Amino acid sequence: REALAVTAQLCGPELERYGRCVAASPGSWHRDCHQLSLSVTECASNHPLVRRIRRDCSESFGAFERCLRDRPRDTAQCQPHVTKFLLCAQNVTSGATPAATPGANPTG
């Protein structure tokens, strides 16, 4: 959650534009939104925690991307891949030193 929150905090405008593009182009989002996807990736890659998730969870994220590419009109079928990636990301962030991010809940 922390990594997703960091990404949303740091890259909110990019994520929003990408999400709107995907929603507006259900059959061709992978082509139409490619540049926006790259801008989200570039923005997110500037944060150390996000870089660690990208490194440690690249296999599960790659499976999710392949699923989206293979099923551009039925992305709901990719939910198990999303879940696996999010679990991986959660494991990475729970092992990380808590970041001083606004709104972060102290663990005690």
Side-chain angles (χ1 to χ4, degrees), residues 7-20 36 40 43:
T7 302
Q9 181 181 10
L10 298 175
C11 309
E14 291 87 349
L15 284 169
E16 187 175 326
R17 283 192 294 273
Y18 179 62
R20 277 188 299 208
L36 292 172
V40 172
C43 176

Side-chain angles (χ1 to χ4, degrees), residues 80-97:
H81 298 291
V82 172
T83 302
K84 187 174 180 182
F85 170 71
L86 292 177
L87 286 172
C88 178
Q90 185 176 8
N91 287 338
V92 170
T93 58
S94 66
T97 304

Side-chain angles (χ1 to χ4, degrees), residues 71 73-80:
R71 297 175 175 86
R73 297 180 194 275
D74 193 13
T75 56
Q77 295 296 316
C78 301
Q79 185 60 43

Side-chain angles (χ1 to χ4, degrees), residues 47-108:
H47 193 280
L49 183 57
V50 175
R51 282 198 303 263
R52 192 176 328 153
I53 289 171
R54 286 178 54 104
R55 182 193 67 214
D56 294 355
C57 304
S58 63
E59 185 178 315
S60 59
F61 188 72
F64 169 59
E65 285 187 317
R66 282 189 299 281
C67 180
L68 290 177
R69 215 174 19 251
D70 294 345
R71 297 175 175 86
R73 297 180 194 275
D74 193 13
T75 56
Q77 295 296 316
C78 301
Q79 185 60 43
H81 298 291
V82 172
T83 302
K84 187 174 180 182
F85 170 71
L86 292 177
L87 286 172
C88 178
Q90 185 176 8
N91 287 338
V92 170
T93 58
S94 66
T97 304
T101 55
N105 292 333
T107 55

